[in-house]
Amino acid sequence: MKILVCISHVPDTTSKIVFKNDNTEFDASGVTFVINPYDEFGLTKAMHIKESMGGTITVVNVGLAATESTLRKALAIGADEAVRINTEPTDAAFVAGLLAEYAGEENFDLIITGRESIDYNGGAVPGILSAHLNIPFVNACIGLDINADQATLIREIDGGKETLQGKLPLLIAGQKGLVEEKDLRIPAMRGIMMARKKPLRVVEASEIHKQTTVLNYQLPDEKGACTLIDPDNVDQLVELLHSEAKVI
Amino acid sequence: MTVLVYAENWNGNFKKSTFEAVHYAAELANLMDAETVALTISAKDDPSQLGKYGAHKVKTIENPSLETFNNQAYADAIIAVAEESNADTIVISNTSNGKAIAPLVAAKRKAAFITNVIELPESLSPFTIKRKTFSSKAIARYQTESDKKVITITANAFEYSERGQSATAEAFDFQTTAPNQELTSVSIDRATGKIGLTEADLVVSAGRGMKGPENWGMIEDLAEALGAATACSKPVSDIGWRPHSEHVGQTGIAINPQLYIAVGISGAIQHLAGVNASKNIVVINTDPDAPFFKAADYGIVGDAFEVLPKLISAIKTYKAAI
Ligand SMILES: Cc1cc2nc3c(=O)[nH]c(=O)nc-3n(C[C@H](O)[C@H](O)[C@H](O)COP(=O)(O)OP(=O)(O)OC[C@H]3O[C@@H](n4cnc5c(N)ncnc54)[C@H](O)[C@@H]3O)c2cc1C
Ligand SMILES: Nc1ncnc2c1ncn2[C@@H]1O[C@H](COP(=O)(O)O)[C@@H](O)[C@H]1O
């Protein structure tokens, strides 16, 4: 089983989001970067598959040199090799195009991505990548069972779930449920030592047309002051929800 | 010029997000001086009603092979209609099925793909539009030069109105090409009778302050009295007090209802990321220093076990009086 896990390098969930250069760029100073949480579930799932069926796990990231710490962490968790496609990941079509060029030559049986990256939140790269590779795409995947080349998949749908059956190769965009939180692996000393010797290959990015550019960012409007209501006077809340907020 | 909108249905019925998408597409078409064409696939509801939300024409596809959802086949169907009606701009709801189709449509059409859109474009040329980013902690202004676009819109971001016209519906003959990919739906498991969280106008949510799953009756009673959906914080679903599908926040579902009532939730940054787009936030918490109060419009510093019964009865009294 040849597995590719696409890893996005994102600000830790506790990060305060601040912009610089006239709000045109994310200010990464003082921010800790991590493996995108959804991708971490995917990586652990890949480990489970490898442990039960054998195979290799490659992790790939489209990013500049700063993302190598994140790829090393994935190697320390248990991936066998890492590939970094050297460019700034500024547009989903561009990132997916680069990933497709790379993956198109490698014949992976299974490609695992996250449901979305917690910075861009595009939910875009996985689907576009699957279309380029012409393999099925299962979004919001919360269950995967592989038997030879047959896969049973569960995906989250609005207010429920759907079970699907498919044939490898395929691409899933995963999230919690693929494995549970308690299954997530923290790199151990031995893993970290071994990761140093594992290959991390840097590939130059080819010219792919970008579809979008970000002009600038803004923060959501600040909330005004909170109106405090006496716990013994909940009628006042009901009245305000009716007359002021107009929601009931 | 045409704006094509995929008018999604659930078991044949249109939902609020469908009307929002049609309405959005119609407003966009209006700006562009274009026509709005809606596409339905295996819908049971009367397609001509989409005219009320601004569609000029509705194309309907009835094809036995499309009776169950399949993202690949549905994407191909949307592309076929887009080609026939010369639609460069395609609007799709940001629902679970929408998210499974939209990137495929964008990739095959070589279109610019802009998701999580929250407003109409501020300019058409160059095309500039706002979308949510950084897990709702920020908004980004995107620009594209591409003539072809696929836009997915956030639920609850647009209010729709009825304009009272009826659209002409006509069947579109879609021939599925031989499937080169195989993904078959085996079964669908839907929580019935519950209000869908992403589309709900009102949401009642609770956290670890509720102490245990046995105390959720109060939360459900409040939700029922209001006609609200229920949600929870992440640790609550992690320990299994509530199903994972109710978990809202940065790593759960992002919502933006008219009203979000948070009971016994501290308001951690990851929780706020998924709910701070709510138009009105009510926080009930014993701790006056709970960070959630900073994000709240209305707050009650008090014990949920005392406040909730009073609030439920006040809402019931109010509802009975109207
Ligand atoms: C990578 C990562 C991702 C995360 N993603 C999410 C996410 O998507 N969503 C999310 O919710 N969290 C997320 N978290 C967790 C988040 O950091 C908080 O731990 C979590 O939101 C806290 O949940 P809580 O408010 O229910 O519990 P607590 O923080 O324990 O707060 C309980 C609150 O209840 C109040 N309380 C106690 N008793 C009562 C009473 N009788 N009446 C009224 N109030 C009472 C307390 O004052 C307190 O404020 C994430 C964390 C990490 C590390
Ligand atoms: N720069 C990147 N390099 C590698 N994989 C990525 C990159 N950006 C996104 N992905 C993958 O695509 C998923 C969805 O990302 P997005 O489309 O940005 O929401 C992520 O969870 C990753 O698995």
Side-chain angles (χ1 to χ4, degrees), chain A residues 23-222:
Chain A
N23 289 327
T24 56
E25 252 179 86
F26 174 63
D27 185 352
S29 52
V31 170
T32 312
F33 282 82
V34 295
I35 299 178
N36 185 38
Y38 299 113
D39 306 353
E40 215 180 331
F41 289 103
L43 177 60
T44 308
K45 182 68 194 185
M47 299 282 297
H48 287 181
I49 296 171
K50 179 183 157 179
E51 282 155 10
S52 68
M53 307 181 68
T56 57
I57 301 172
T58 306
V59 287
V60 65
N61 169 262
V62 177
L64 297 175
T67 71
E68 288 193 3
S69 57
T70 296
L71 285 173
R72 286 275 173 221
K73 186 175 170 205
L75 291 172
I77 288 172
D80 300 291
E81 54 162 2
V83 174
R84 179 172 69 82
I85 302 173
N86 186 29
T87 184
E88 184 120 32
T90 46
D91 167 72
F94 171 66
V95 170
L98 292 171
L99 290 171
E101 275 183 6
Y102 164 72
E105 289 177 0
E106 298 278 334
N107 292 317
F108 291 102
D109 299 301
L110 176 65
I111 300 181
I112 302 182
T113 69
R115 178 183 89 182
E116 63 180 25
S117 54
I118 64 165
D119 50 359
Y120 294 110
N121 307 109
V125 170
I128 299 177
L129 176 57
S130 78
H132 284 315
L133 298 174
N134 204 20
I135 58 175
F137 164 50
V138 177
N139 192 32
C141 189
I142 52 170
L144 169 65
D145 229 345
I146 299 178
N147 199 329
D149 69 343
Q150 294 294 324
T152 304
L153 306 112
I154 305 174
R155 83 181 178 103
E156 195 169 76
I157 56 176
D158 296 324
K161 45 190 159 180
E162 179 183 21
T163 306
L164 301 147
Q165 219 132 42
K167 214 167 154 244
L168 299 180
L170 42 82
L171 185 150
I172 64 166
Q175 60 184 61
K176 185 168 121 178
L178 217 42
V179 300
E180 290 310 316
E181 202 121 354
K182 60 174 169 40
D183 302 321
L184 293 178
R185 304 194 181 179
I186 299 152
M189 203 34 145
R190 202 176 110 81
I192 295 167
M193 299 298 285
M194 276 168 55
R196 292 201 187 131
K197 298 201 197 85
K198 288 180 181 172
L200 193 163
R201 199 150 57 84
V202 179
V203 181
E204 284 314 314
S206 54
E207 294 277 324
I208 288 181
H209 182 64
K210 288 181 191 163
Q211 299 277 21
T212 59
T213 36
V214 177
L215 295 180
N216 58 20
Y217 296 95
Q218 61 196 62
L219 295 174
D221 296 338
E222 290 272 332

Side-chain angles (χ1 to χ4, degrees), chain A residues 13 37, chain B residues 206-211 232-236 247-252 263-268 270-271 284-287 290 302-305:
Chain A
T13 57
Chain B
R208 216 147 46 177
M210 290 308 292
K211 310 285 192 285
C232 68
S233 68
K234 178 170 179 287
V236 161
H247 154 203
V248 290
Q250 179 152 13
T251 50
V263 187
I265 302 177
S266 57
Q270 298 98 343
H271 185 85
I284 301 172
N285 197 306
T286 38
D287 175 8
D303 185 339
F305 295 87

